[in-house]
Amino acid sequence: MRTHADYDCDVLVIGGGIVGLSTAYALTRAAPGTRVTVLEEAYDPADHLAGPGGGLIHSGVHHRRSSLTARFAARGGGEMTEFCTRHGIAHTVAGKLIVATDRSELPRLHALAQRGREHGLPVRELGPAQIAEYEPGVRGQAAIRVSTTGVCDAAGVLAALTGEVAAAGSVVRCGARVTAVDRRPWGVAARTADGTVVRARVLVNAAGPQSARVARLAGDEPGVHVVPVRDTYYELRRPELVRGVVHPVPSSGHPFLGAQSIGGIVRSVDGTVHVGPVGATAHGRLVPPVHPGGLLSALTRPASWRTARRPEGYARDGVPFAGAGAVLSAERTDVIGRTARDGRPWQTGRPWQAGRAARAGSTKAVAATALRRLLPDVTEEDLGPARTGMRTRTVHPDGTPVEDFLIHEAPHTVHVLHTPADAALATALPVGREIARRVLALAQGAGWRPPAVESGHCV
């Protein structure tokens, strides 16, 4: 029988993004004295942030009432705001406008209003004059306002969670890529790229873009494929045009991308205003994940190609674009430098750079055209470059996207295979508690008992 000393920690969390850190935080609070180790591949957990819009605390209005996302966001937004207040993290709760710029969008807008009320959210329907009261520069046929939407310093949240976990006696290791997982009757052991082996009673796979890979390392077939997606954002050079958060009515084909092919407009806590994510143009390229092996995996899995070929991803209001969820272009595979659109090989030594300026200009033009439907005074020159964002798109084998949390349990293991990127901050604290609950149930089912608070060691 293994003893306390045979384990390097009680719970091993792979992934130091918002879900992994929230889970570690919840574990240290639910069972004080539990030894938690977090292994994070990146050298800075803030690398996980999904672009400049990563600090948005969503209300969950876009998600089905029966979904875990809606349930967690309904209470998690307020909890995140309170967390920011306690830790002195910059944040605001200015609400959000969802604006219909065309009469054809009104039925979807009214459906969102009804869904928001079903969630118990404070939703107010607005006409054109009322829109101007909140956002004088925005024009639309109608809108709804959700007053509970907020914005915070997401990097500050990650830093605060890391500090809380460390203060509880647990460990967060950055720059630790997991290369092997060995699951045994007594628990799990994970090996990192530098050869370090960490033994634990229970493993939490919260590896985000790498979650499917980690699941397979543990011997579990995830049943989905995680596709990396790079989002394009722009900074609005005239920030005075927007006071808070403005989103277009989401498209029926892409529930988190507006029919105008932009995700939204967000004023950050530092006063800058960002536009995005922007739907990629039909000239768009596949962008590899952090590691080249992930790109090869994406190219060799049928689900990636099925997602790329979904017809709704290629045109919206007469403008051809791939959409945020369509990451593989049907016209080219220039990221690996094999062929161009005309079928001829690239003649440059760095093929992925060919046509970059043309693609960037095309995407910027699409963004400006789409943005003018909300902000008529905007020109293409008003859009400046901003940091791109990396997120994941989880798809089923038939290519349809996973829209809700996807959490699987296996012996000694909890896999978090999908987290809705738009609601990551709003749901972080409740989902962390849910995963911690499952972890402690697995550990206690195997005969382990949480350490006594007063003794600080396993009993």
Side-chain angles (χ1 to χ4, degrees), residues 235-238 241 364 377-384:
E235 181 175 340
L236 189 60
R237 291 187 171 122
R238 297 166 63 193
L241 292 177
K364 185 176 180 180
D377 295 338
V378 167
T379 66
E380 192 170 334
E381 288 68 33
D382 292 327
L383 298 180

Side-chain angles (χ1 to χ4, degrees), residues 349-383:
R350 302 187 72 181
W352 58 86
Q353 290 186 345
R356 173 180 290 178
R359 288 194 298 271
S362 178
T363 303
K364 185 176 180 180
V366 169
T369 300
L371 192 56
R372 276 193 291 272
R373 297 183 61 178
L374 289 167
L375 295 170
D377 295 338
V378 167
T379 66
E380 192 170 334
E381 288 68 33
D382 292 327
L383 298 180

